[in-house]
Amino acid sequence: GAPFRRARDCSILRGSGANSITFYNLGVCNLDPIELDLYFERFLNEDRAAPPDADLDFGWDERDQALAWMVERFGRDKVAITCTTNHLNYRSAFREAAKVFGYSDAQTTAVLDSLETKSARLDDTGIRNIHAWARRIHGKPRYLGQHPGGLIVTNQPIWRHVACEWSRTSAEGGGEGRIITQVDMHNGIDDLGLIKFDLLGNGSLSVLRDALEQIHQQGFPDPEVWDVRKCFADPVVRAMLANGQSRGIFYIESPAQIRLNQKARAETFPEIVITSSLIRPAGTAYCETFVERHRNMKDGIKD
């Protein structure tokens, strides 16, 4: 079937992948990293062997459709959901150990509740044995789950690259199962040289899509939000950013981000790139220095 989203509908790429000249040339992202002088040496250095993920944003109600399209486009035998590894917490470990000692679910629940309220003690031989085994398996892998957005795509059948298994059902709780990897995103996907895509649900994109549809239905001209240069040349847009009127705009809507944009009087795309990087934990120590120097530059004050 035809893709449900065209390249110009709105930008759907973010994170490290948005700096990629490859994605720009493919029309997936509308940001030219060379023109904007984006810093992508972060992922091109000798100390980093693993490739970056490709984070693809869709409306919150479009992600399943995006997955279905990828399966149809590349083939079901070449697409797999990355697994998650669920580990035993203490209560789960205690329950598993109690089964071996012949305890029913109701008995195990009663024992756990009594231990939490300290109405039972570990001097009981049976409980002490269960507790000892529970401590031994606490934190061990229990079962595999499906990552909410992680996806890998290969040219050859997926099982030629990574061990896989069928899920019992789809993530939606029904229908035919999915192929999921037996290697999770933290322990092996990078080592196998596989690039992981993240299909992410983003409420802001759903709002943007619906707003554009309403504009179209009411006969107003298309605002062409895909045209980044046009958007940032609009004096109304620039004033809104500098005045902190960005609530509901993904990535620059947090109170801390809004305050920083107001202090720095950030109104252009390059300025937003800087402030959205500084607001992260590693950059907060430099915020005040940047604001002071940036405001002086805007006011024509030289050091």
Side-chain angles (χ1 to χ4, degrees):
F4 51 91
R5 182 182 293 283
R6 299 160 300 176
R8 288 188 170 185
D9 283 346
C10 58
S11 178
I12 62 170
L13 193 69
R14 67 180 169 97
S16 55
N19 297 359
S20 169
I21 190 68
T22 301
F23 278 118
Y24 175 72
N25 287 335
L26 289 172
V28 180
C29 181
N30 53 20
L31 300 179
D32 182 347
I34 295 178
E35 176 190 2
L36 295 168
D37 196 25
L38 294 182
Y39 177 79
F40 50 86
E41 288 85 349
R42 172 185 171 194
F43 300 101
L44 296 175
N45 62 74
E46 295 180 354
D47 295 326
R48 183 185 175 102
D53 294 346
D55 293 345
L56 297 163
D57 273 5
F58 298 89
W60 68 269
D61 52 352
E62 294 179 335
R63 191 166 60 177
D64 292 336
Q65 192 179 358
L67 174 59
W69 185 87
M70 292 185 75
V71 171
E72 179 183 352
R73 172 66 177 81
F74 299 107
R76 197 173 189 215
D77 61 334
K78 298 179 179 65
V79 178
I81 305 293
T82 54
C83 76
T84 57
T85 304
N86 293 281
H87 297 79
L88 290 162
N89 59 29
Y90 177 76
R91 287 183 66 93
S92 298
F94 192 95
R95 285 187 177 280
E96 295 300 317
K99 291 178 184 177
V100 178
F101 287 90
Y103 281 66
S104 67
D105 285 343
Q107 289 173 319
T108 305
T109 299
V111 171
L112 283 168
D113 291 344
S114 63
L115 287 173
E116 289 182 353
T117 59
K118 303 193 184 305
S119 58
R121 297 187 303 176
L122 292 176
D123 54 5
D124 178 274
T125 303
I127 296 177
R128 188 167 61 248
N129 287 336
I130 297 172
H131 171 72
W133 280 102
R135 291 190 60 184
R136 292 183 66 175
I137 64 174
H138 180 205
K140 301 295 184 185
R142 187 182 187 191
Y143 60 88
L144 300 182
Q146 297 182 49
H147 191 279
L151 189 76
I152 55 175
V153 183
T154 56
N155 292 326
Q156 298 176 321
I158 198 82
W159 47 81
R160 297 191 63 177
H161 299 272
V162 60
C164 300
E165 66 180 52
W166 287 102
S167 67
R168 183 177 179 184
T169 61
S170 68
E172 295 74 40
E176 195 172 22
R178 293 174 173 173
I179 296 176
I180 64 172
T181 67
Q182 290 183 328
V183 178
D184 66 31
M185 58 181 289
H186 301 293
N187 301 289
I189 292 296
D190 288 343
D191 296 333
L192 291 169
L194 298 172
I195 296 177
K196 181 172 68 68
F197 294 86
D198 268 340
L199 305 186
L200 305 172
N202 186 317
S204 297
L205 288 182
S206 296
V207 173
L208 176 60
R209 177 202 62 207
D210 296 343
L212 291 174
E213 179 61 27
Q214 290 181 22
I215 289 173
H216 173 72
Q217 291 176 357
Q218 295 175 27
F220 291 101
D222 183 356
E224 298 180 336
V225 296
W226 53 268
D227 190 338
V228 176
R229 296 178 185 85
K230 175 183 175 181
C231 289
F232 278 96
D234 189 325
V236 176
V237 172
R238 294 171 70 113
M240 289 178 66
L241 291 173
N243 294 329
Q245 296 174 288
S246 57
R247 286 289 175 88
I249 302 176
F250 179 68
Y251 216 72
I252 55 172
E253 63 180 338
S254 71
Q257 180 72 69
I258 290 174
R259 285 196 298 272
L260 180 58
N261 289 343
Q262 288 176 304
K263 289 180 179 179
R265 289 183 285 183
E267 59 182 2
T268 67
F269 184 77
E271 289 173 318
I272 294 299
V273 170
I274 295 171
T275 59
S276 63
S277 299
L278 282 174
I279 206 64
R280 294 170 178 269
T284 52
Y286 305 98
C287 284
E288 292 301 325
T289 301
F290 167 76
V291 168
E292 180 182 357
R293 293 178 178 177
H294 197 65
R295 288 177 68 99
N296 285 345
M297 182 271 293
K298 280 180 168 281
D299 294 334
I301 300 173
K302 297 182 178 180
D303 294 335

